[in-house]
Amino acid sequence: MSDAPTFERDLADVPTSAFGSRSLTWWGVIAFMAIEATGFALAIGAYFFLMAHEHSWPPEPWLPPDLLAGTLFTTLIVLSEVPNTLAKHAAEKHDLPAVRRLLIVMAVIGAVLLVLRGFEFNSLNVRWTDNAYGSVIWLLLFLHTTHIATDWADTLVLAALMHTREGEEARRFTDTSENSLYWRFVWLTWLPIYLLLYWLPRWAP
Amino acid sequence: MSAAELARDGPTLHGPELAARLERSWSRDPGLLGWLATVDHKEIGRRYLVTAFVFLALAGVLALAMRVQLARPDQNIIGAARYNEIFTMHGTTMMFLFAVPVMDAVAIYLIPLMLGTRATSFARLNAFSYYVYLAGGMLLWIAFVLNVGPDVGWFAYVPLSGPEYGVGKRADIWAQMVTFTEVAALSVAVVLTATILKQRAPGMSLDRMPLFAWAILVTSLMVIFSMPSVALASGMLLSDRLVGTQFYNPTENGDALLWQHLFWFFGHPEVYIIFLPAVGFVSEITATFCRRPVFAYPVMVMAVVAIGLLAFGLWVHHMFATGLPRVGYSFYTAASMAVAIPTGIQIFCWITTMWLGRPRFDVPFLYVVAFIVTFVIGGLTGVMVASVPLDLQLHDSYFIVAHFHYVLIGGAVFPLLGAITYWYPKVTGRLMSERLGKLSFWLLFGSFQLTFFPMHLSGMLGMPRRVYTYPAGLGLELPNFLSSIGAFIVALAFVLFIANVFLSLRRGAIAGPNPWKAGGLEWATSSPPPPYNFAHVPSVGSATPLWDGPLKWMSGLRVDEKEMLLTTVVSARPDLREPVPEPSIWPFISALALTVMFVSSIFSPWAVLFGLVPLGVALIAWFWPKQLEPTAEPVIE
Amino acid sequence: MNTVQSVFGGQGAEGAQFLSLMTLFTVVTTIIYLLVLAYLALALWRRRRTEHTVESGDHAAEPPPQRTALIGWVALVNTGLIVLTVASFLTDRAMARTASSPALEIEIIGHQWWWDVKYTGADPSQSLETANELHLPVGVPAHITLKSADVIHSFWVPNLAGKQDLIPGRQTDISIKPTRTGLFRSQCAEFCGVQHTHMALDVTVENRADFLRWYRAGLQPAKAPTAPLAKAGYAYVMTRQCAMCHNITGTEAGSHFGPDLTHLASRRSIAAGTLPMNRGNLYGWVADPQANKPGSKMPTLGLEPNELHAVVAYLETLK
């Protein structure tokens, strides 16, 4: 084909890494967030669909979940946005020492959240086998836990990677930035689920 | 590092010298390990295509078995239980293992070529998706051979598929097969969306993108928003069956209709996920064989987008007989009818393209004509079943079987066969035989009508779907006999088509880069294309670059490493140079670990927990960056 | 075309409305289809051709007449769709009205794979239970409540009306107003397991007098058998497996797990339409249900020849 190609531009000076929607990683993360958000939305739809069958919510004689563990979890995950944002900014400024530090903070927070989540499962006051109400709140909590666990594992790997020579690669900073973006998704999706699990059963007649 | 500091051989590096250098960077290792590790979208696309056609053949054989059983009334050649397995396998295989993956196959192969890029995005994810798809298909078919195949229909309505009535592992295998194919389809959707939005050749702004790419973009977005629904539904079914949740159990305030809502929220868009790529095929073929671009490009694009949106508002029309509030049905009737508007527009635009151009009646174009003649019937019967009073009679009868085969075979398989004939020379370097192609075309077109048209009648004569026999005296004898005869001729036509594919590999005329003198970028590289697709980056100034003056190129990508160009989303200005992942065995191993986890979870829920360990290890190895080579000097063309 | 199981029958008020709406849809869609075919044929074979192709150099041209035609086509398609949507909506409303103020209350419960049919009388003594047959008086709107005992089934008498699903945990209903007498056949329309195929319901639409005669006969308990062979059969049925599943009013057999047998011999078919009712088929069915309807919940009992003769003789008395 290229016997005598006509060239109209040299691309050699085009950069090799960037943040946000310029990077391919960002699009991948956004696409997976869209898939998972759809999954959450449909699970929430199922929650309301099943709720419509009941005269009371939770159905008699079950009690709503205890508040303590879930509320502690919610407080911590909202507060985690502070180090998360700091990590994102540090990555975008290519500040390696700060990124290393903050990723470890995020990994510790993730571990604490997983422990708190264990207590949450224990305070639901219903088992998944009891009735459809029990099934659907276990489903929502389980779905969200998989996201906490996935991002925690991701953060651990990234933290390890940043402590090797790989950390100096510009693309690793993009990865860190997208990991922070994903974490925002994880805690933002938690808020409606927190309301549905802990508060709606208290408000609903 | 600025461009000036880079060691570079080009633009002096060109011709065979450049090709050899690129070949070295882009080719994979030989041998089985190299074969399993490849991330070349063309190899993966070909594997998808071949696998999908194997499943088509298997499901086709099952269709013949059903037609033998139904050829005459009150027959008992295939027993009731076996028949139920067979129609379940036929529908499941056709929908999950043929129709969606085959469209993915063509898109994975062609999209990077049409966009003028060297690879898909997330090349390893692409490879992973193929192995997951293959594993899901094998799970289903090995189960069938071992006599534990599903027997609950491709729609697996609860409670028939639930823990109380769906005894054994049959329904679990169905549900887990769904999980496999959803993981695969969602992965491909992510790959294609990112590729189409970020990797178009410089100058290929959204309004110059081939209609096929538009169709695939909308299809991929539909997959992203619809497939989670069936994944969730089948996950809930599995947990009802395996760990005792009560989602669908009415005695514990679960609901059987929850399944139907979730299933059809996926199931209806699914039809358009299969149909829209065909819209892309038809558009490309029509343009090439009428020697002009498709009439009213912006209107065509809007029609594709409109179909994608409307498809999400129709699912309740599968549930008109479930006793939901009747007033609400009117909305779904109106929405279902409204789909006829964008579809009607597309039909008009294609015919107008033929009117304005000069049609050439080669085999691919014949399939387009057959598509219009056949698909419009399916669309119009679709308008009928959108009406509640009509649907209550026609629903779940053979009329529906006729309707959706007109839509799916007429609307998707005819264009697919046209597309295969059309792009075959690009993939193999040789043209398919026109004579054999025309013979199989006419045979298929005629026998299709013979098989499926009488089903409209048998449905209206009261024949429900999914019955393994029917009594004599209801007037069902003749239509069923005709359908059975037709089915065997359809099979013969497919055999001839496949024979043509194989014979032409050796005997077909050498094609050259652009045998049809088409206008798209995929025809600007050799046939078959080299592993790196294009030696330089093509630059585009119109929607049909090869028809609008000599193509211009850009240079400056690395040749010592795999590299591709990212461009901006709307106007496709050069933006980033992006490394392309090297071949890796880890996507294959990850798929293997996932398979072990999914399959063993059918037998114990703890397998999910234990299965995560090998999967996690494989995924970390997959994403761990390769060692830096500090001495490597980038070489740029 | 107009058989006992056909949407062309139109022997019910809804069935007739369906036919007129179907005719309208067929006419409109056929016109649209013929227009598409005509345009396609002309586009492919028109002789005097002004080309806008690559070869003629102006392939990007989009002449104004075609643009106008596109707008016209969209308007035409829209008009057709609006006409059909409105017609569909009006028919739906009309159907809802035809069977208002029902004079007959019936409950049908779907089972794998047979139909339990209950007529609700003024008091329990006037309530009638039967299986796999439905009798309706002509001209009288009947309201049928639909339930399922196991999986989803669908009730469909094509000659009379459209279908309605029977869903466990839910209650649906359908109203039917038959307008002509006749014998019809109905068949489960939702896949419900192994013997979905053999889950039929015999429908009889008769005049009021015949219906009342059938109803009154149905309220009678089964007559005690008199012939020695039938008596032996009666003894078998009461003391062996049969009574564990079936009800025969007026006897000790009172289980409702399987179809009611009180007036079995007066029905048109055996085992939900599996076999026509006659002595030979009764023999065949009782001797080996699993051969006739594989997967049926009724086991093959392995009766001795003398037992078989006796049971069939007794069943034949259940008129």
Side-chain angles (χ1 to χ4, degrees), chain C residues 252-277:
Chain C
E252 285 162 26
S255 173
H256 290 267
F257 186 76
D260 185 285
L261 300 180
T262 312
H263 299 286
L264 172 74
S266 69
R267 295 179 198 152
R268 299 215 299 271
S269 68
I270 304 168
T274 308
L275 301 165
M277 177 64 73

Side-chain angles (χ1 to χ4, degrees), chain A residues 42 45 49, chain B residues 157 225-226 229 257-272 309-322 324 328-329 331-333 335-337 339 385-386 391 395:
Chain A
L42 290 162
F49 188 85
Chain B
Y157 274 10
F225 291 111
S226 71
S229 187
L257 286 191
L258 176 58
W259 170 267
Q260 296 193 18
H261 281 293
L262 288 172
F263 186 81
W264 291 117
F265 186 79
F266 141 83
H268 200 84
E270 170 94 338
V271 177
Y272 297 93
L309 292 174
L310 283 170
F312 284 91
L314 311 181
W315 80 95
V316 173
H317 80 205
H318 296 266
M319 298 169 66
F320 282 157
T322 58
L324 298 177
Y329 285 160
F331 169 80
Y332 295 96
T333 295
S336 309
M337 297 237 186
V339 181
V385 296
D391 184 63
H395 176 72

Side-chain angles (χ1 to χ4, degrees), chain C residues 276-319:
Chain C
M277 177 64 73
N278 59 44
R279 174 175 292 176
N281 283 338
L282 265 180
Y283 268 101
W285 175 256
V286 175
D288 194 354
Q290 292 300 319
N292 290 290
K293 189 171 175 177
S296 160
K297 305 281 180 186
M298 178 155 162
T300 296
L301 298 170
L303 284 81
E304 298 297 325
N306 58 333
E307 295 170 334
L308 182 61
H309 288 304
V311 169
V312 171
Y314 172 61
L315 292 179
E316 283 188 304
T317 70
L318 298 175
K319 293 278 183 193

Side-chain angles (χ1 to χ4, degrees), chain C residues 7-227:
Chain C
V7 303
F8 299 113
Q11 287 99 341
E14 277 198 41
Q17 284 158 331
F18 162 82
L19 280 182
S20 3
L21 188 64
M22 189 73 192
T23 310
L24 175 71
F25 268 69
T26 311
V27 169
V28 172
T29 52
T30 306
I31 291 172
I32 297 276
Y33 185 59
L34 291 177
L35 282 174
V36 170
L37 285 192
Y39 187 31
L40 178 66
L42 282 174
L44 293 179
W45 285 292
R46 76 197 177 101
R47 287 184 176 272
R48 261 170 303 171
R49 190 175 273 283
T50 335
E51 285 173 30
H52 301 278
T53 60
V54 185
E55 283 70 20
S56 67
D58 63 339
H59 54 271
E62 297 197 339
Q66 273 73 22
R67 291 172 181 226
T68 315
L70 173 58
I71 294 167
W73 170 250
V74 173
L76 181 73
V77 170
N78 273 331
T79 312
L81 288 175
I82 289 169
V83 167
L84 295 181
T85 308
V86 170
S88 165
F89 182 70
L90 292 178
T91 306
D92 199 35
R93 296 290 301 275
M95 281 180 173
R97 272 198 308 274
T98 44
S100 54
S101 64
L104 190 58
E105 280 292 338
I106 304 171
E107 180 177 300
I108 296 184
I109 302 166
H111 293 257
Q112 282 179 322
W113 294 272
W114 59 281
W115 305 91
D116 188 6
V117 181
K118 295 175 179 168
Y119 290 77
T120 318
D123 62 83
S125 72
Q126 295 301 302
S127 293
L128 171 67
E129 180 165 1
T130 180
N132 301 327
E133 62 169 345
L134 177 67
H135 283 246
L136 295 171
V138 70
V140 177
H143 178 252
I144 305 176
T145 305
L146 300 166
K147 294 177 183 169
S148 168
D150 37 51
V151 301
I152 300 177
H153 305 277
S154 193
F155 173 76
W156 182 32
V157 194
N159 295 66
L160 302 183
K163 49 184 83 60
Q164 191 67 49
D165 292 350
L166 299 80
I167 303 166
R170 285 179 173 251
Q171 184 175 312
T172 53
D173 64 336
I174 186 169
S175 294
I176 291 183
K177 184 179 168 190
T179 53
R180 271 179 281 160
T181 57
L183 303 179
F184 309 115
R185 190 170 184 275
S186 158
Q187 192 174 350
C188 178
E190 183 64 83
F191 178 62
C192 56
V194 182
Q195 278 298 344
H196 165 58
T197 304
H198 289 128
M199 184 168 167
L201 176 72
D202 295 313
V203 181
T204 306
V205 176
E206 53 206 344
N207 64 45
R208 216 182 156 81
D210 286 342
F211 173 76
L212 287 175
R213 200 172 305 126
W214 170 83
Y215 196 90
R216 277 196 293 270
L219 288 174
Q220 301 301 315
K223 289 194 190 77
T226 49

